[in-house]
Amino acid sequence: MSKRIQVYRTDSITVTFDPNICIHSAECLRGEPNVFDVNRPRWIRPELASPEKVAEVVRRCPSGALRYTLHAPESPAEPTTTQVVVEVRKNGPLVVSGPVRIEAHDGTLVCEQDRVALCRCGGSMRKPYCDGSHARIGFRDPA
């Protein structure tokens, strides 16, 4: 069952979080712990840092679970690229950035976005997406 997308707004920025594709890499927690704190009921508080800083941290999210929109008219949206890059994370997922389109075996569109983390260990309960199972099952890259 899918979890709902969470939305956090200020006058300057909107941050969304899709728990269905988060791989719990904690880039956000390390990047700006005042804004991103899982020990609070409202765990994202974009008002606690500048919109530019929040956007910079959100762009580090390897799975694309975090997204942002800046509200100032002169503010750029999340950067886009036409180049596809596949990063093999050590003992972890494949992180694909660029214009990503995933289709099911029957051609049905699964997702279309600019970055995803795909399961490499076979243990994810949300295939094709990584769910962090690689850490739980002790997946290791071949030597």
Side-chain angles (χ1 to χ4, degrees):
M1 182 167 159
S2 288
K3 297 176 183 174
R4 68 177 179 77
I5 293 176
Q6 301 166 22
V7 180
Y8 304 88
R9 288 186 178 90
T10 71
D11 291 341
S12 305
I13 190 169
T14 297
V15 177
T16 60
F17 172 66
D18 184 346
N20 300 296
I21 61 173
C22 180
I23 64 170
H24 308 288
S25 67
E27 292 290 333
C28 55
L29 305 178
R30 285 188 298 278
E32 191 57 53
N34 291 329
V35 173
F36 301 93
D37 182 349
V38 295
N39 295 314
R40 295 186 304 231
R42 191 174 138 246
W43 78 280
I44 299 175
R45 293 193 180 171
E47 67 276 7
L48 297 179
S50 73
E52 295 78 17
K53 178 62 178 175
V54 174
E56 184 260 315
V57 172
V58 168
R59 284 192 297 270
R60 294 185 209 168
C61 178
S63 67
L66 287 169
R67 302 270 179 193
Y68 73 89
T69 303
L70 292 169
H71 301 302
E74 67 281 356
S75 297
E78 286 199 54
T80 59
T81 180
T82 58
Q83 181 180 8
V84 176
V85 175
V86 179
E87 174 193 355
V88 179
R89 290 263 170 118
K90 183 170 177 61
N91 303 324
L94 296 173
V95 176
V96 185
S97 56
V100 179
R101 178 182 173 92
I102 299 176
E103 296 180 359
H105 60 88
D106 63 359
T108 319
L109 180 65
V110 174
C111 87
E112 210 166 18
Q113 55 191 57
D114 63 353
R115 60 190 183 272
V116 295
L118 301 175
C119 178
R120 189 162 68 104
C121 72
S124 175
M125 299 302 289
R126 295 190 317 252
K127 290 180 194 81
Y129 303 108
C130 173
D131 67 359
S133 291
H134 54 274
R136 181 180 47 77
I137 67 172
F139 175 77
R140 296 288 175 255
D141 286 324

